[in-house]
Amino acid sequence: MIKVSFIGDIMCEPLMLKASKQGERYDFSGVFCNVKELLSESDYVIGNLETPLAGIESKYTHELFSFNAPDEFAEAIKDAGINYVSTATNHCMDRGIEGLKRTINVLDNIGLSHDGTHKDYGEHEPFITTIGDMSVAIISFTYGTNYAVHHRALPEKGYVDLLHSDTDPVYLVKKAGKKSWVKKLLLKPLKIEHITAIKKSLGMTYNIPRQDDYLNEEEATPYFNNLKRKIEKAREKADIVMFHPHMGGQFNPQPGKFSEYTVKKALEFGVDAIIASHPHIVQKAVVYGDVPVFYSVGNFSMSPNSVYLLHENLPEYGIIPHLYMRDRKIAKVTFSIIKMIEERNKQLSVFPIDKIVCGESDTENIELENAVKKIYNTVTGKKLIADEIIRSEYLLYDNIHTRDC
């Protein structure tokens, strides 16, 4: 059987960036070294690149929510065994259209396949690759970008495969009230990370889960027509069509109305699998007929020490779905659980949970097992009742043998 795996948000935040600097260059190999063996077991690995590669002149990531990683980051991604990255994320134009174009050039130069953003506007052919004896299409779209927020202007259409307009609201949130007394006391404006850190240290609300419930079907129709055309084109040439959307409410364990609508439409358009990212935590997985749908696979390399994280839903854990295919069909679906570990002032590293050494501490082992149980329950809706809690893979769907975990 052919095995295709998906990893979540590949991020390069300030803490990891600083810890990876080696003189004038950067070395990110430690981020991936502990998960490299797991990825090598797959015939093809697909990831979500949550940063542009806009070059040092555009300043590497130095503030929250606006990213830019060194070229060495992409090289480390490829060296880890990742074959394809989606560039259709809300951060793809954090350094403008020129940063978007340079990202594409860098990926092309190192031979790392990608899709979701484009150097020119207009309609583009779907990405299709050959894996073993099968042709597989990967369709990458994002709910929107942060471009309008950072640049106070809208890009020309066609550079990014979008699910709705950048002018639409992203989330439904409560209207902001009066400025907090923390902000009032600040004589000089501080960066958002400093304000967040102050609020957090004082026990104040510093972040909230986002509600992905904004849905205007009429406004969304042109964007979903574009998605439909791309899926139909892929269907003509590919044995398997995989939809890889970037969507969902950040830090929200429940998919919102827009995510549910997107899944519904993609199923109508005829995809064979849907694997989504963006919420920065793991969400449920459901099998509709024979189509596996992962609403959010969570993070791959988000810093567990980032000041704005909401930890109750375990953002330091992610999953890696594995699709086993034969006879041009998806025959079985499993998932691995990973954990991001970051010691103070040291480089983040990603571990499959069965490779984590907890030492002699029963407390650490119990904490790990409890976290795994919670992630498993979130994904499957079931309780993990077994002697072997820590495993390399967990079953979601088996079209060959009907069995339960």
Side-chain angles (χ1 to χ4, degrees):
M1 283 196 290
I2 294 171
K3 182 180 182 182
V4 176
S5 301
F6 285 77
I7 64 175
D9 297 324
I10 309 172
M11 302 184 69
C12 183
E13 297 176 288
L15 290 174
M16 190 172 83
L17 184 66
K18 182 179 179 181
S20 301
K21 188 170 176 57
Q22 304 288 327
E24 296 301 315
R25 289 182 56 81
Y26 291 83
D27 181 3
F28 296 98
S29 57
V31 176
F32 303 92
C33 64
N34 292 296
V35 77
K36 198 171 180 178
E37 182 180 353
L38 173 63
L39 299 182
S40 72
E41 297 171 1
S42 300
D43 297 289
Y44 202 83
V45 181
I46 297 163
N48 175 59
L49 183 60
E50 191 89 0
T51 178
L53 307 161
I56 191 170
E57 299 82 4
S58 297
K59 293 185 180 181
Y60 295 142
T61 303
H62 58 282
E63 58 184 346
L64 293 182
F65 315 134
S66 182
F67 300 148
N68 180 29
D71 296 354
E72 291 95 325
F73 191 55
E75 293 167 3
I77 290 170
K78 184 183 179 185
D79 184 65
I82 297 162
N83 305 98
Y84 168 102
V85 290
S86 170
T87 51
T89 78
N90 58 307
H91 291 288
C92 65
M93 288 201 291
D94 279 4
R95 295 297 185 271
I97 292 175
E98 291 308 311
L100 177 150
K101 292 179 179 180
R102 188 182 184 281
T103 301
I104 293 172
N105 289 335
V106 171
L107 297 176
D108 286 343
N109 289 339
I110 67 173
L112 181 56
S113 296
H114 59 89
D115 198 26
T117 58
H118 313 281
K119 289 192 287 186
D120 53 14
Y121 57 89
E123 288 194 25
H124 302 89
E125 291 297 310
F127 176 87
I128 300 176
T129 189
T130 300
I131 308 173
D133 62 349
M134 299 176 61
S135 57
V136 177
I138 307 167
I139 310 295
S140 296
F141 273 64
T142 177
Y143 72 89
T145 78
N146 296 349
Y147 189 89
V149 175
H150 294 312
H151 299 272
R152 298 187 180 183
L154 291 174
E156 295 181 63
K157 294 180 180 179
Y159 289 103
V160 186
D161 288 330
L162 295 170
L163 291 169
H164 66 58
S165 170
D166 266 2
T167 60
D168 288 344
V170 176
Y171 306 117
L172 290 183
V173 296
K174 294 179 180 179
K175 291 184 178 180
K178 296 180 179 179
K179 287 187 177 181
S180 71
W181 60 269
V182 172
K183 288 186 177 181
K184 287 182 179 180
L185 285 177
L186 298 175
L187 299 179
K188 295 182 179 180
L190 293 180
K191 289 184 176 181
I192 187 170
E193 51 264 45
H194 297 144
I195 296 172
T196 302
I198 292 171
K199 287 183 174 181
K200 191 173 182 179
S201 66
L202 294 173
M204 301 175 65
T205 299
Y206 61 91
N207 199 359
I208 58 173
R210 303 302 196 268
Q211 304 295 324
D212 178 39
D213 287 331
Y214 177 81
L215 175 60
N216 184 316
E217 294 188 30
E218 183 178 353
E219 291 178 358
T221 295
Y223 296 90
F224 281 86
N225 285 342
N226 184 36
L227 173 63
K228 182 181 180 181
R229 284 193 295 270
K230 206 157 198 178
I231 290 172
E232 288 175 344
K233 282 186 178 181
R235 189 85 275 168
E236 293 173 0
K237 300 178 181 179
D239 298 313
I240 297 289
V241 178
M242 299 180 180
F243 180 39
H244 193 209
H246 195 71
M247 64 182 188
Q250 290 176 313
F251 305 111
N252 195 324
Q254 302 300 325
K257 291 179 181 178
F258 185 79
S259 291
E260 294 285 11
Y261 178 79
T262 302
V263 167
K264 175 187 173 184
K265 300 304 288 186
L267 292 171
E268 288 177 7
F269 300 156
V271 299
D272 297 296
I274 302 173
I275 295 89
S277 61
H278 179 60
H280 295 312
I281 58 172
V282 173
Q283 292 181 346
K284 68 180 180 179
V286 182
V287 179
Y288 295 105
D290 291 332
V291 181
V293 177
F294 287 83
Y295 282 85
S296 174
V297 300
N299 296 311
F300 180 79
S301 60
M302 177 178 252
S303 172
N305 294 316
S306 290
V307 68
Y308 60 92
L309 289 194
L310 298 173
H311 285 279
E312 56 265 32
N313 291 310
L314 304 176
E316 68 271 27
Y317 288 85
I319 59 172
I320 302 179
H322 308 292
L323 309 186
Y324 291 86
M325 300 179 292
R326 73 177 186 186
D327 299 327
R328 291 168 173 76
K329 293 181 180 179
I330 298 173
K332 185 173 73 169
V333 180
T334 68
F335 61 94
S336 299
I337 301 176
I338 57 171
K339 183 179 182 181
M340 289 134 266
I341 296 177
E342 183 182 55
E343 298 180 22
R344 185 175 177 83
N345 297 325
K346 293 185 179 180
Q347 189 181 62
L348 174 152
S349 191
V350 183
F351 287 82
I353 55 159
D354 59 319
K355 303 300 181 184
I356 296 175
V357 178
C358 291
E360 299 178 357
S361 170
D362 289 338
T363 301
E364 289 181 359
N365 286 307
I366 291 171
E367 287 178 353
L368 178 63
E369 289 189 354
N370 286 339
V372 168
K373 289 177 182 178
K374 183 173 181 177
I375 295 294
Y376 178 86
N377 177 255
T378 298
V379 175
T380 67
K382 302 176 183 178
K383 290 185 177 181
L384 184 56
I385 303 173
D387 294 332
E388 188 182 3
I389 301 297
I390 307 299
R391 310 182 206 172
S392 60
E393 293 185 36
Y394 300 83
L395 180 67
L396 178 71
Y397 169 74
D398 190 341
N399 202 24
I400 306 172
H401 308 99
T402 302
R403 58 188 177 87
D404 199 355
C405 285

